[in-house]
Amino acid sequence: MVKTLLKELKEYKLVSVLTPLCMIGEVAAEMIIPKLMGKIVDNGIYGGNMIYIFKVGLMMLVIALFGLAAGIGGAYYGSKASTGLAKNLRKAMFDNIQTFSFSNIDKFSTSGLVTRLTTDVTNIQNAYMMILRMAMRAPATVVFAMIMSFIISPRLASIYLVAVIILAFFMVIIMSKATVYFKEVFEKYDSLNESVQENVSAIRVVKAYVREDYENDKFKKAAGNIYNMFVRAEMNIIKMGPMMTATVYACILLISWVGAHMIVGGSLSTGDLMGLLAYCMNILMSMMFLAIIFVMLTMAQASGNRIAEVIEEKTDITNKEKAINRVVDGSIVFDHVIFAYNKDSEEPVLKDINLEIHSGETIGIIGGTGSAKSSLVNLISRLYDVTGGAVTVGGVDVRDYDLETLRDQVSVVLQKNVLFSGTILENLRWGDKNATKEDCIRVCKIACADEFIEKMPDGYDTVIEQGGTNVSGGQRQRLCIARALLKKPKILILDDSTSAVDTATDAKIRKAFAEEIPGTTKLIIAQRIASVQDCDRIIVMDDGQVSGFGTHEELLESNTIYREVYESQTGASADADFDKQA
């Protein structure tokens, strides 16, 4: 995990080295000053030597300025290194997420990925800052102060040593208990983000069903879980405060008591006692900082593991070394295809599928809910890989194609139509970033989208809100179809993409397909028989198998499922339905 995270330092390695060097310089300056103060008291004030006082005082000023400069440098370089690491971690995760196949994405929830990109990275950023600055400064302070103390008086310095050992022992016990709670906190963050995400994206549904109170309670519960976890962790940590305070004052009392007797006995000077007291505070305060660092590292460890999971996740769909970069035509063959989302599943989603589709054909696909219609077409553009058998496009196994080449030639309009923030033109150009406005208008006419775009005040420059909330479901579907057509694909897949379009517009779109893109193989998944009955052939799916494959007339004669649904939709039968067993 650490190796994965540190790889992302890249251009920030130099400032990561300079930060601890600056902190060591600051600590060295701070440790010299108490010793010089003791000399001023012993040799300057008691000796009445003003020249010595000014000389040592000037030296202290120079050292203090050096320490100040080192501290400022440490803060600057540390900030640059930690924020730079956070930037690179977010980029590394986001870049890797873009390579994920659908099966990879299925491993991580959306809210979980959001938490990793935000909260978890922030924890790593804060922890790295602490490591570079305080994790270097605090141990260095303890070591330097301990050395200076033993130089002054080994007897009194032994008091520090015993106090440090006792504090370290209790710190380990307390922190180990707090660690358990911090590790659980991030799972609660996922639940909180999920609650926010669902509420914001489905706010219209929430208001339509007057579920604001329910959503408020749900969010309150998620936030409360995080609160409770942090309280439990902090309840363990706050025990260190009184313990640290008691130890500090006990050390001061002991040093003052023993030191006073040593001064009377002539074995210690007043200046040395002042220096020892200063070193005492430095050592014990550094121990407190070490405790805080330990807490942050505990939180960072949990976050680091979650971030490393995303960065190290390897997509299970990759290009071969000598991938094919040209799709000859839009012919499709399913050869004994078996598919399961989970390879360990006892029952596959698709079972021994054998189909042959000619280039330029228009194929309808119908079937009941859960009959694996979408799973079937997802294999063509290799959004998933087959578990068994093979899918070929243009006579070549889809696994042998370059992914970008294949997906450029297999254009998919998914069930969930997504538009992005920006103008209509910007959304359309997702299909072809170099498309002219005339190209966009042409495909919008084919998709019957031009009729509503032209009625908008800004036409093709109309701004689409996030998620396309300012256009209707049918308009959103037509824009997505137009966007897919801009790719000029050899295969066009419409996954129930005209469900929100009225029948007249649906018929216009199908007619335009036949006239404008006759050479493109078209696969149309639909629930309405009217949407597919004019197709060259129709596939009837039932429980992951092909129940029938033929023309409308052939299926009416040979396929019971198709005939019953046709009769139900045309009024000939009142109780037939895709989801009822034929």
Side-chain angles (χ1 to χ4, degrees):
M1 178 267 289
V2 174
K3 187 177 179 181
T4 300
L5 300 183
L6 291 181
K7 275 183 181 178
E8 302 307 321
L9 275 175
K10 297 178 180 177
E11 68 270 31
Y12 299 101
K13 289 179 181 177
L14 178 60
V15 288
S16 294
V17 173
L18 291 175
T19 303
L21 291 178
C22 287
M23 300 317 297
I24 291 174
E26 183 185 20
V27 170
E30 288 181 0
M31 293 302 102
I32 294 172
I33 288 175
K35 180 67 175 175
L36 294 178
M37 286 177 61
K39 288 184 174 297
I40 287 178
V41 171
D42 292 337
N43 302 328
I45 296 175
Y46 285 165
N49 190 343
M50 293 301 296
I51 295 175
Y52 184 85
I53 292 173
F54 281 119
K55 183 180 176 181
V56 176
L58 182 61
M59 190 184 301
M60 288 175 62
L61 178 61
V62 172
I63 293 172
L65 290 174
F66 170 79
L68 176 63
I72 292 172
Y76 172 75
Y77 293 132
S79 298
K80 194 170 182 179
S82 59
T83 53
L85 175 62
K87 179 197 74 173
N88 288 346
L89 285 175
R90 289 192 176 99
K91 186 176 185 302
M93 278 196 287
F94 192 82
D95 287 348
N96 202 38
I97 290 168
Q98 300 308 303
T99 69
F100 285 179
S101 66
F102 278 21
S103 57
N104 292 118
I105 293 172
D106 291 342
K107 293 181 184 179
F108 303 96
S109 66
T110 304
S111 57
L113 288 173
V114 170
T115 305
R116 293 165 206 249
L117 282 161
T118 52
T119 305
D120 286 324
V121 173
T122 300
N123 285 336
I124 293 295
Q125 177 181 333
N126 293 336
Y128 192 60
M129 169 72 88
M130 292 291 285
I131 289 170
L132 291 180
R133 297 188 65 205
M134 298 312 302
M136 182 58 66
R137 175 184 168 80
T141 300
V142 172
V143 171
F144 276 117
M146 195 67 73
I147 291 171
M148 297 298 291
S149 298
F150 271 96
I151 290 173
I152 295 172
S153 173
R155 180 181 174 188
L156 291 177
S158 301
I159 297 173
Y160 302 160
L161 188 59
V162 172
V164 167
I165 293 171
I166 293 172
L167 280 176
F169 174 74
F170 283 107
M171 277 171 55
V172 170
I173 295 175
I174 292 170
M175 289 298 104
S176 61
K177 292 182 180 179
T179 299
V180 177
Y181 296 113
F182 283 122
K183 287 181 178 178
E184 294 179 13
V185 160
F186 298 103
E187 294 178 8
K188 305 300 180 184
Y189 269 122
D190 288 350
S191 299
L192 183 71
N193 283 337
E194 183 179 5
S195 176
V196 174
Q197 180 191 351
E198 285 184 346
N199 185 271
V200 173
S201 61
I203 191 65
R204 287 169 174 77
V205 178
V206 172
K207 291 188 176 297
Y209 284 87
V210 196
R211 298 283 282 179
E212 290 92 343
D213 290 341
Y214 171 80
E215 289 295 320
N216 285 338
D217 290 340
K218 184 179 174 183
F219 179 83
K220 185 178 179 181
K221 183 178 179 182
N225 286 333
I226 294 175
Y227 166 80
N228 290 332
M229 283 294 176
F230 270 117
V231 166
R232 290 176 187 175
E234 294 294 339
M235 286 296 288
N236 281 279
I237 294 171
I238 59 173
K239 295 174 184 176
M240 293 179 57
M243 189 183 304
M244 186 68 68
T245 303
T247 305
V248 169
Y249 286 118
C251 284
I252 291 172
L253 287 172
L254 279 172
I255 292 168
S256 299
W257 175 263
V258 177
H261 283 79
M262 291 176 69
I263 290 172
V264 172
S267 59
L268 185 72
S269 68
T270 304
D272 286 340
L273 179 59
M274 287 178 60
L276 285 168
L277 290 172
Y279 290 134
C280 172
M281 294 299 294
N282 283 328
I283 290 172
L284 298 177
M285 287 301 102
S286 294
M287 292 297 293
M288 177 64 84
F289 281 123
L290 283 173
I292 296 171
I293 292 166
F294 192 86
V295 173
M296 294 198 71
L297 289 179
T298 301
M299 295 173 65
Q301 182 182 7
S303 294
N305 287 329
R306 287 159 55 85
I307 291 169
E309 281 177 2
V310 178
I311 295 176
E312 293 171 356
E313 177 74 13
K314 302 295 183 185
T315 178
D316 51 15
I317 295 181
T318 56
N319 285 330
K320 289 189 173 181
E321 282 189 17
K322 295 181 180 179
I324 297 171
N325 292 300
R326 182 171 175 264
V327 179
V328 178
D329 58 44
S331 60
I332 306 166
V333 175
F334 286 80
D335 183 14
H336 296 285
V337 168
I338 298 170
F339 172 69
Y341 288 102
N342 188 340
K343 293 181 180 179
D344 298 327
S345 300
E346 295 181 5
E347 188 75 13
V349 176
L350 293 171
K351 308 157 192 172
D352 197 29
I353 304 295
N354 290 284
L355 294 169
E356 186 173 348
I357 299 168
H358 305 125
S359 182
E361 271 194 301
T362 300
I363 303 295
I365 305 174
I366 62 172
T369 304
S371 59
K373 303 185 295 296
S374 297
S375 299
L376 181 75
V377 297
N378 283 340
L379 299 177
I380 299 171
S381 58
R382 211 183 165 202
L383 297 176
Y384 292 96
D385 268 340
V386 297
T387 306
V391 177
T392 64
V393 171
V396 177
D397 192 316
V398 293
R399 290 169 290 193
D400 294 331
Y401 279 115
D402 172 73
L403 272 174
E404 187 174 339
T405 299
L406 176 66
R407 290 174 183 171
D408 272 342
Q409 294 301 319
V410 182
S411 198
V412 184
V413 184
L414 298 170
Q415 281 178 319
K416 187 176 180 181
N417 298 284
V418 177
L419 295 175
F420 297 89
S421 302
T423 64
I424 289 176
L425 276 177
E426 288 170 346
N427 270 276
L428 292 172
R429 284 175 178 146
W430 273 66
D432 180 2
K433 62 183 179 182
N434 298 315
T436 63
K437 187 173 181 179
E438 289 69 30
D439 292 331
C440 295
I441 293 172
R442 180 181 61 81
V443 294
C444 283
K445 285 181 178 178
I446 297 174
C448 296
D450 61 317
E451 54 191 47
F452 72 82
I453 294 174
E454 290 172 355
K455 293 177 183 177
M456 293 180 168
D458 297 321
Y460 285 83
D461 293 318
T462 300
V463 175
I464 299 294
E465 294 177 5
Q466 186 177 7
T469 55
N470 59 331
V471 291
S472 69
Q475 291 171 340
R476 197 157 52 240
Q477 286 184 336
R478 282 178 276 175
L479 286 172
C480 290
I481 292 171
R483 180 174 64 188
L485 289 172
L486 262 184
K487 295 176 74 171
K488 299 175 184 176
K490 287 188 168 63
I491 299 171
L492 176 64
I493 299 172
L494 303 181
D495 189 353
D496 205 15
S497 302
T498 56
S499 57
V501 174
D502 61 86
T503 52
T505 304
D506 187 12
K508 285 182 185 178
I509 293 172
R510 284 185 281 111
K511 182 182 178 183
F513 283 171
E515 294 174 353
E516 300 291 337
I517 50 172
T520 300
T521 304
K522 297 164 283 291
L523 303 180
I524 303 171
I525 297 177
Q527 296 294 331
R528 295 189 297 232
I529 294 288
S531 297
V532 298
Q533 67 181 30
D534 293 330
C535 293
D536 297 320
R537 288 186 290 172
I538 302 165
I539 301 170
V540 181
M541 296 295 297
D542 181 41
D543 192 27
Q545 296 177 307
V546 176
S547 172
F549 187 29
T551 64
H552 172 67
E553 291 75 16
E554 289 171 348
L555 291 173
L556 280 178
E557 290 182 8
S558 63
N559 191 272
T560 307
I561 296 175
Y562 187 84
R563 183 171 58 254
E564 288 191 356
V565 174
Y566 173 75
E567 290 172 352
S568 72
Q569 292 187 2
T570 56
S573 174
D575 59 356
D577 195 298
F578 272 125
D579 294 325
K580 291 185 178 179
Q581 189 67 33

